[in-house]
Amino acid sequence: MKLKIAVQKSGRLNEDSLQLLKDCGISIDNGQDQLKAEAKNFPIEIYYLRNGDIPQYLKDGVVDCAIIGENVLVEKGNGITISSALGFSKCRVSLAIPKGSTYKNISDFKGKRIATSYPETTKNYLAKFGIEADLHIINGSVEIAPNIGLADAICDIVSSGSTLFKNNLKEVEVIMKSEAVLAVSPTISTDMEQILGKLQFRIQSVLKGRDSRYVLLNAPNNKLAEITAILPGMKSPTILPLAEEGWSSIHSVVNQEKFWEVIDQLKEAGAEGILVCPIEKMVL
């Protein structure tokens, strides 16, 4: 029995998804232009699919799970469970208008023509404010629509905003923030759930490692209490005596988001020789 997992056929999400599986120790035997591949050392099959098709494959039970953008699930994946957020391929779904247009509030979209690849997401967001608009469904280069007179505005995914800038558009409303997620089919069997559990364990170990840094430092013994209060670690910091009398080495783990803040506090508390290392995986 093999767990069937879908990933995007090509693009950035494909690359990041395969890298995550690789970091989980899963070796995939795939060649160029393959639509399906098996792992050599884990009971899993990889299906390479169009991003927009993945929700239907999940609903139909053709695949057991998928690495997919949350924005696609919101648009097409009603009833599909999100197992966990994966922390990469972050973007947002936003409404944008031509740079020269004035904008006061969401009411400005009333009766406007909006080009989008996300009609359900757009419609549901506007409905929250009681706004009706004329939606033009476009698969592809949505940003060009206002420039050719097809629409007054667009609703599309935004990452850096460079594509909007190149097409003389400005972002005015963020409908939702999105990232890659692990989604699970509503029809997954009990046997496949067990394999999925093992995969989830590996994924969480990798993600925790990515979000953390291993810190080693030297500190005078009379400062240990103050410094260890800054460094809680996974349970508590590891403290080892140094050859130099009156000094100790402290080992701990710091969350990446708070890293520089913690480092500043450690220096003020008297820490020296601070060494920071990446963590490949963290198993708790």
Side-chain angles (χ1 to χ4, degrees), residues 7-81:
V7 300
Q8 188 182 51
K9 186 177 180 180
S10 60
R12 179 64 183 274
L13 184 54
N14 166 275
E15 296 171 5
D16 290 340
S17 300
L18 295 180
Q19 184 61 52
L20 176 62
L21 295 176
K22 181 179 179 181
D23 291 344
C24 288
I26 298 173
S27 178
I28 303 166
D29 186 13
N30 65 310
Q32 189 174 8
D33 297 326
Q34 274 189 277
L35 297 180
K36 187 175 76 169
E38 294 186 2
K40 298 177 181 178
N41 56 353
F42 193 83
I44 192 171
E45 287 181 338
I46 317 295
Y47 285 68
Y48 300 95
L49 305 173
R50 288 181 63 254
N51 212 31
D53 294 338
I54 291 176
Q56 193 60 52
Y57 279 79
L58 285 166
K59 290 178 182 179
D60 293 342
V62 176
V63 294
D64 302 304
C65 59
I67 297 176
I68 186 173
E70 185 180 2
N71 56 298
V72 181
L73 284 185
V74 170
E75 179 66 25
K76 298 182 176 182
N78 185 34
I80 296 173
T81 301

Side-chain angles (χ1 to χ4, degrees), residues 78-99:
N78 185 34
I80 296 173
T81 301
I82 293 176
S83 169
S84 57
L86 301 177
F88 57 83
S89 294
K90 293 186 177 182
C91 65
R92 54 195 180 274
V93 179
S94 298
L95 287 160
I97 61 175
K99 284 183 182 177

Side-chain angles (χ1 to χ4, degrees), residues 164-177:
L164 292 181
F165 180 81
K166 291 175 183 177
N167 286 276
N168 203 34
L169 298 172
K170 61 181 179 181
E171 186 178 9
V172 293
E173 288 281 338
V174 177
I175 292 180
M176 67 168 292
K177 293 183 178 180

Side-chain angles (χ1 to χ4, degrees), residues 267-282:
K267 290 177 64 179
E268 291 176 5
E272 297 182 10
I274 302 173
L275 179 64
V276 181
C277 304
I279 299 175
E280 186 175 311
K281 299 172 185 67
M282 193 161 74

Side-chain angles (χ1 to χ4, degrees), residues 222-241:
N222 61 355
K223 295 286 188 178
L224 289 180
E226 183 179 352
I227 289 175
T228 54
I230 301 170
L231 283 172
M234 289 182 282
K235 286 189 177 179
S236 64
T238 300
I239 302 175
L240 301 172

